[in-house]
Amino acid sequence: MNQNAVTATRNVAIVGPYLSGKTSLLESLLFVTGATSRKGNIKDGNTVGDAIAEARDRTMTVEINVASTEYQGIRFNWIDCPGSIEFAKETYNALMGVDAAVVVCEPTSDRVLMLAPLFKFLDDWKIPHLVFVNKIDQLSCDGGACGQSYRQILDALKGVSSRPIVPHQYPIGKAEQLIGFIDLVTEQAFHYHTGAPADPVPLPDSLKDAEHAAREEMLEALADFDDHLLEELLEEIEPPQEEIVKDLKMELGADLIVPVFIGVAEQDYGVRHLIDALLREAPAPEATAERRGLTGKGGATVAQVLKTYYTPQGGKLSLARVWTGQLTDGSVLNGIRAGGLYHIFGQQQQSTPEAKAGDIVAIGRLEGIHTGDTLSTEEKGAKELPKAPAMKPVYGLAITAEQRKDEVKLSGALTKLLEEDPSLSWEQHEDTHEIILWGQGEIHLKVALDRLRRKYNLPMDTHLPRIPYKETIRKSTSSHGRYKHQSGGHGQFGDVYLDIKPMERGEGFSFSETIVGGVVPKQYIPGVETGVREYLPQGPLGFPVVDVEVTLTNGSYHSVDSSEQAFKQAARVAMTEGMLKCNPVLLEPIMTIQVSAPTEFTSKVLQLISGRRGQILNYEPVSGWNGWDRVSGYLPQAEMHDFIIELRSLTLGIGFFNWEYDHLQEVPGKLADHVLATTGNGNGNG
């Protein structure tokens, strides 16, 4: 790259669903602009993006990939983002630092719905974006007429966007094959050529009416935000091309419209025109910074971390967007000295002495800094920039190191793993004592486990997390417990009578005493309570006991042999014998869930919940989501492990849910018998 020729920068994210062709588009963009001399291929595993082993094993993007190219004096920093919703947090973090996004989709109207969550994020954060309909050669062109199929795609896009969808190009077909496009700004037709720029050709007579209608649609959408253009259209005055381009630039930059382009990334079709449009119409970094309220006044440097990497050679790298000011090697950010600046090209790092406002660079050794953090050279620090919202985990696995000697390394490795991927989390469950790794889905956790094995030499064994069952009682009883032990010298003697009663669900545990006449001296009563509490972690069914009231009503003592320890043991005897008489029952945790999905899938969601012993509470439209419903209900935790997998299979991969613990509920009889038979008295998976 000729760095002296670079006079400005554009930061562009490439986003879209899995299999839409984002990585192929990145390869084409790098190739046609001369950044690479040969295009890589996903099947061959030699692309600039997806170079890490976890991505190539699955032929899918699992983390953002950055590569730069220079085109007509502009440095384009491309960020190829994962398409799977399981890695959406990676995408959202990256989008917080770009000037524009190219949304890649397939030419199939029923798959456009998969863009809904992505469009919602882009619209909510007012991130300028355009659509590149990839694989347009698969468009149905019956007798050369591709317009109807194209119209269906545009209509589908309107269904997932809160911004007007504006066609920028129109397809040209021949027989059943797509051969080119018409630029609706210049009204120039082009024919595609593999490995070469598209050739300008005369506008086909058969498409003049369709092209005119599509161009009118574009102009009318632009006129909604430009009174002068509206007047020209009303007076049937042909607007100059310069005015149309100016409106496209202004309205795209303000995230008022969504222009639509077409092409075939693998063949480089339409890619040059896409980058030309980005050159003309995408907002410059200064405009993006201003939109974020960053003027650059005062001379301070402000940056934001978009991604954290741990590399085998360079250690920690923080990929950051420089919003204002300038960075140099050794700059002090948030009190930490930067240990090197690098431009990233796939897996390659190129050292650079400085980074200016608008650049995206990797900064070395910023210990204690995390993805999303705002960086500043000011001693007091800059105002925190907004971060992409956190994503609650929906899928968990219990993990243990294959070799016990590795257990001491696990905590440190998990800390680094979560720094690289903030959508992961882990906990040591207080009831089951398992280490549970949480994420956004099955593939997400498999990738995380692969990283633990490859990067940190920590192979893991996994199993389903145990369900933290509890138990309670249905009946009351009175129980007598006596502990008497003689072993020479002073003996041990404690004697108690306990009333054991059930409490209302959720009330926990209560201990009281009604001793009169000093039959149990006051100094021994705490020992009785301790003995009761020490019994509760494992009741007669083998699980922690809850919602029980225990009252010490009577007892006796020995003036020499009694002690607090003896009364503690007597209480345990009373609890062990008494609880068996109280009709113990098994309880399971019940979660409250809110499932969101397109309305057309609502009936399937209802069936999914009810088919897993769930209880439907209500469903209603989702505020701010056009054509989506939210179903609320209760679901047993035992039914939740693979709930997200089935939900996504029923909803084109875009359904999602939130959950939290709500209450405990009695396990139905036969199921309770099965749990008790398979858990080994509380020690199994459940």
Side-chain angles (χ1 to χ4, degrees):
M1 182 186 297
N2 181 7
Q3 303 214 13
N4 294 326
V6 174
T7 59
T9 304
R10 297 286 188 278
N11 299 301
V12 181
I14 305 172
V15 298
Y18 173 55
L19 295 179
S20 59
K22 300 178 302 300
T23 301
S24 295
L25 177 58
L26 174 63
E27 288 295 313
S28 181
L29 287 163
L30 297 176
F31 176 69
V32 302
T33 56
T36 58
S37 58
R38 179 178 178 273
K39 284 202 304 181
N41 184 279
I42 294 173
K43 293 180 180 179
D44 295 338
N46 60 356
T47 56
V48 172
D50 296 353
I52 62 172
E54 294 79 23
R56 291 191 170 165
D57 285 350
R58 296 166 176 83
T59 62
M60 67 182 296
T61 306
V62 298
E63 68 177 11
I64 63 171
N65 298 286
V66 183
S68 301
T69 186
E70 187 268 321
Y71 183 71
Q72 296 188 18
I74 304 291
R75 171 183 283 118
F76 280 90
N77 291 320
W78 306 103
I79 304 182
D80 178 23
C81 299
S84 168
I85 197 168
E86 297 190 22
F87 302 94
K89 189 67 165 64
E90 282 275 312
T91 298
Y92 296 159
N93 288 338
L95 285 171
M96 301 303 288
V98 299
D99 303 307
V102 175
V103 181
V104 185
C105 75
E106 296 176 84
T108 309
S109 56
D110 57 0
R111 289 178 64 83
V112 169
L113 187 60
M114 297 169 67
L115 296 171
L118 182 57
F119 267 85
K120 183 68 168 58
F121 185 90
L122 292 166
D123 291 343
D124 284 351
W125 289 94
K126 299 181 179 178
I127 299 169
H129 53 287
L130 52 84
V131 172
F132 181 74
V133 183
N134 192 24
K135 308 176 185 178
I136 198 72
D137 54 338
Q138 298 176 10
L139 195 71
S140 175
C141 295
D142 187 13
C146 306
Q148 184 174 354
S149 300
Y150 185 50
R151 169 55 54 194
Q152 290 174 351
I153 296 170
L154 294 176
D155 289 343
L157 287 167
K158 291 176 182 178
V160 297
S161 175
S162 65
R163 308 289 192 263
I165 296 295
V166 179
H168 205 298
Q169 297 173 332
Y170 192 85
I172 300 174
K174 183 177 182 182
E176 296 181 356
Q177 185 178 8
L178 185 101
I179 62 171
F181 70 95
I182 303 167
D183 186 314
L184 297 179
V185 175
T186 63
E187 296 192 276
Q188 175 64 63
F190 294 88
H191 278 184
Y192 294 128
H193 290 285
T194 302
D199 281 342
V201 296
L203 181 67
D205 291 337
S206 61
L207 292 180
K208 285 185 177 179
D209 289 344
E211 183 275 334
H212 179 74
R215 190 169 193 267
E216 285 296 307
E217 180 181 353
M218 176 188 71
L219 295 176
E220 288 171 3
L222 298 177
D224 286 339
F225 307 99
D226 183 349
D227 291 341
H228 181 260
L229 178 59
L230 179 60
E231 290 177 7
E232 289 178 325
L233 295 182
L234 292 174
E235 296 175 10
E236 297 185 354
I237 298 174
E238 179 65 25
Q241 291 182 18
E242 295 79 8
E243 182 180 2
I244 298 172
V245 172
K246 181 181 177 182
D247 277 349
L248 284 165
K249 181 178 179 65
M250 184 277 292
E251 293 168 23
L252 173 63
D255 188 37
L256 298 174
I257 61 169
V258 182
V260 179
F261 296 80
I262 60 177
V264 183
E266 283 196 349
Q267 304 295 328
D268 306 328
Y269 293 170
V271 174
R272 291 174 177 84
H273 285 81
L274 173 66
I275 196 170
D276 283 338
L278 289 167
L279 190 71
R280 294 190 310 266
E281 300 162 25
E286 308 83 57
T288 308
E290 186 176 346
R291 192 175 70 250
R292 292 289 185 91
L294 297 165
T295 61
K297 294 179 181 178
T301 297
V302 176
Q304 186 173 27
V305 180
L306 310 180
K307 168 71 178 175
T308 301
Y309 301 94
Y310 276 92
T311 63
Q313 295 81 22
K316 183 176 180 179
L317 289 177
S318 301
L319 185 74
R321 159 76 183 251
V322 183
W323 287 102
T324 63
Q326 179 175 304
L327 282 180
T328 58
D329 189 359
S331 293
V332 177
L333 299 162
N334 295 16
I336 306 167
R337 185 173 299 278
L341 298 177
Y342 307 92
H343 284 298
I344 302 295
F345 192 89
Q347 294 298 294
Q348 301 174 22
Q349 303 165 23
Q350 180 182 1
S351 181
T352 183
E354 64 177 16
K356 298 179 180 179
D359 255 339
I360 291 180
V361 292
I363 309 170
R365 297 193 292 278
L366 291 183
E367 301 303 328
I369 298 298
H370 303 97
T371 300
D373 285 356
T374 300
L375 307 175
S376 175
T377 53
E378 290 184 331
E379 289 188 11
K380 294 182 179 180
K383 180 181 178 181
E384 285 289 319
L385 292 168
K387 301 179 182 180
M391 297 180 69
K392 184 154 185 168
V394 293
Y395 188 87
L397 286 174
I399 62 173
T400 55
E402 282 187 5
Q403 301 181 42
R404 292 198 63 179
K405 65 182 179 65
D406 289 337
E407 291 176 358
V408 294
K409 299 190 296 184
L410 183 56
S411 177
L414 287 174
T415 298
K416 291 181 178 180
L417 190 70
L418 269 58
E419 279 197 71
E420 289 192 281
D421 185 352
S423 60
L424 292 166
S425 61
W426 70 280
E427 65 170 328
Q428 184 150 18
H429 198 281
E430 61 179 355
D431 288 328
T432 66
H433 309 296
E434 298 171 307
I435 295 176
I436 301 177
L437 182 63
W438 286 97
Q440 303 303 316
E442 186 177 24
I443 296 175
H444 188 211
L445 288 195
K446 285 182 177 179
V447 168
L449 292 167
D450 280 355
R451 285 177 174 160
L452 281 175
R453 177 172 54 84
R454 283 188 171 116
K455 295 183 73 169
Y456 304 106
N457 194 27
L458 277 174
M460 293 285 118
D461 289 325
T462 65
H463 60 264
L464 301 186
R466 298 187 183 109
I467 305 302
Y469 292 105
K470 302 286 196 297
E471 61 178 276
T472 191
I473 55 175
R474 286 181 176 152
K475 293 169 55 179
S476 301
T477 193
S478 294
S479 183
H480 177 219
R482 173 175 288 190
Y483 180 74
K484 186 176 181 180
H485 184 70
Q486 201 72 36
S487 59
H490 287 304
Q492 293 287 330
F493 180 83
D495 185 50
V496 297
Y497 290 84
L498 303 178
D499 282 353
I500 306 172
K501 299 179 181 179
M503 298 175 70
E504 293 295 324
R505 193 75 67 244
E507 291 190 2
F509 167 71
S510 172
F511 177 84
S512 60
E513 52 88 11
T514 59
I515 295 298
V516 293
V519 292
V520 176
K522 287 187 177 180
Q523 67 266 31
Y524 300 146
I525 293 176
V528 177
E529 181 176 357
T530 299
V532 172
R533 289 185 178 275
E534 287 184 355
Y535 170 83
L536 294 178
Q538 186 167 332
L541 302 181
F543 296 94
V545 178
V546 296
D547 303 335
V548 169
E549 178 184 358
V550 178
T551 304
L552 172 64
T553 60
N554 205 345
S556 62
Y557 73 101
H558 189 279
S559 59
V560 175
D561 291 346
S562 287
S563 66
E564 185 174 342
Q565 178 68 20
F567 274 92
K568 183 177 79 169
Q569 294 298 332
R572 288 183 64 91
V573 171
M575 290 296 294
T576 301
E577 295 180 358
M579 285 289 291
L580 288 170
K581 306 173 186 176
C582 293
N583 195 1
V585 293
L586 189 65
L587 301 175
E588 63 179 335
I590 303 297
M591 307 297 172
T592 178
I593 60 170
Q594 296 85 37
V595 183
S596 300
T599 302
E600 63 194 79
F601 301 121
T602 300
S603 62
K604 293 182 179 180
V605 171
L606 295 172
Q607 292 171 13
L608 176 61
I609 295 173
S610 59
R612 289 174 172 249
R613 300 192 292 123
Q615 177 186 351
I616 307 296
L617 297 179
N618 71 300
Y619 65 92
E620 59 188 359
V622 183
S623 176
W625 287 71
N626 183 34
W628 280 57
D629 285 338
R630 176 173 291 125
V631 180
S632 300
Y634 292 133
L635 193 68
Q637 184 178 342
E639 302 287 345
M640 280 188 58
H641 174 70
D642 60 349
F643 182 83
I644 188 62
I645 297 173
E646 191 167 355
L647 174 64
R648 286 174 178 156
S649 72
L650 294 174
T651 60
L652 290 177
I654 57 175
F656 61 92
F657 73 97
N658 294 313
W659 62 274
E660 61 181 11
Y661 169 80
D662 192 86
H663 64 278
L664 290 170
Q665 180 174 293
E666 188 173 331
V667 182
K670 288 186 177 180
L671 183 58
D673 292 341
H674 174 73
V675 171
L676 294 173
T678 57
T679 57
N681 202 30
N683 297 318
N685 288 336

